[in-house]
Amino acid sequence: MDAIRRMSRRGSFASFLLVVGVAALLTGCSNPYLRQQGINALEVNDIPRAETNFAKAVKQDDTDWRAMYYLGLVRNRQHRPSEAKVILERALTLAPSRPETTDILDELAESIYQQNEPPLLSAMLQKACEDYGTPRDYMRQGKYLGKIGDPDGAKVAFRKAIRRSNFKDPEPFLALADYLESVGDTEGTILNLRYAYYLLPNSGRIMERFRQYGLVPGPTLKLEPKPDIE
């Protein structure tokens, strides 16, 4: 849902507000209008209505990469990953270096994962890291390498995400904590929560996770992340 909101904010919604009335009269429904209708449907989990709007937008304009992203997302939710992959690859070709590109890459990785193609997924994840190299690219790599049974590769990727963020972003620490928790590494989970807590001391989410481990949130749990951490 966060990716949906990000894409909505970054889209042409301001332009939509200015032109939708005229466009609706002249052409039926403008693509910004159709995308927003689809987003509204996604936010209430109305997948059929979302699909209808995004598919119509893509049909009206085969260069509308935003609509392609959303349609690919819908296809993933419908467990139609081969269709999602095709349209997401098209969206990536049209928008290879925009702020929204990372959202497209997230859904592309999910489509390949759903098709159960670990070698292809590993290659796609590595290429994204090589092409962009942001913390989020390495977090994505860590997440999916963990899912396909490469725990060592997953940990390396998460640690690269931490280093790429210069040890100043709590999200890679939280992502690593999530992964370590999923494989039963309680000590590692708590350690990374402590790093994240130092960077985000007012986070109710982190405090609650400490409580789940029987720990009382407070200054003594904060641990400053430094470049020499493993």
Side-chain angles (χ1 to χ4, degrees):
M1 192 62 69
D2 287 343
I4 293 169
R5 293 193 180 103
R6 281 196 301 272
M7 190 75 77
S8 176
R9 287 195 298 268
R10 293 168 179 159
S12 301
F13 194 45
S15 298
F16 150 70
L17 290 172
L18 294 172
V19 305
V20 65
V22 174
L25 290 173
L26 297 177
T27 63
C29 291
S30 70
N31 271 36
Y33 175 82
L34 290 168
R35 288 198 307 267
Q36 190 59 42
Q37 290 298 103
I39 291 164
N40 293 344
L42 278 178
E43 290 180 342
V44 296
N45 203 34
D46 187 345
I47 301 301
R49 184 162 63 92
E51 177 188 18
T52 297
N53 282 282
F54 296 137
K56 186 172 182 181
V58 171
K59 185 176 181 180
Q60 285 188 169
D61 181 358
D62 63 4
T63 66
D64 187 343
W65 54 268
R66 290 186 179 89
M68 291 175 189
Y69 159 77
Y70 286 121
L71 186 56
L73 182 153
V74 166
R75 292 287 183 255
N76 277 337
R77 293 193 181 184
Q78 294 173 321
H79 302 290
R80 296 160 65 180
S82 60
E83 296 174 43
K85 179 175 177 290
V86 170
I87 197 163
L88 289 164
E89 287 176 335
R90 173 65 175 159
L92 184 60
T93 298
L94 291 166
S97 57
R98 292 178 175 269
E100 300 91 343
T101 299
T102 191
D103 295 326
I104 298 171
L105 289 165
D106 286 347
E107 289 300 324
L108 180 57
E110 177 62 21
S111 71
I112 299 171
Y113 172 71
Q114 285 191 25
Q115 292 181 81
N116 193 27
E117 296 188 34
L120 181 59
L121 178 55
S122 294
M124 176 262 158
L125 295 167
Q126 182 59 32
K127 187 174 189 305
C129 290
E130 291 170 357
D131 288 349
Y132 303 100
T134 70
R136 186 164 163 187
D137 293 306
Y138 286 104
M139 289 166 63
R140 181 190 309 111
Q141 185 180 45
K143 171 184 173 181
Y144 282 100
L145 288 181
K147 284 188 170 189
I148 62 177
D150 183 358
D152 292 335
K155 291 173 188 176
V156 168
F158 284 124
R159 287 170 182 146
K160 285 182 179 179
I162 290 167
R163 288 197 294 274
R164 290 278 176 161
S165 69
N166 294 317
F167 305 89
K168 295 179 181 178
D169 183 353
E171 291 306 319
F173 289 109
L174 290 170
L176 179 54
D178 289 344
Y179 174 68
L180 293 174
E181 187 174 61
S182 75
V183 296
D185 184 347
T186 299
E187 182 179 351
T189 301
I190 293 172
L191 178 62
N192 282 279
L193 287 174
R194 292 182 68 191
Y195 290 138
Y197 189 41
Y198 179 89
L199 297 167
L200 207 61
N202 297 318
S203 171
R205 176 176 54 145
I206 298 174
M207 293 180 191
E208 180 56 32
R209 292 185 70 173
F210 281 134
R211 294 188 185 101
Q212 291 171 1
Y213 283 101
L215 300 171
V216 179
T220 59
L221 281 179
K222 297 177 186 176
L223 189 59
E224 182 178 4
K226 296 181 179 179
D228 59 349
I229 65 174
E230 292 296 328

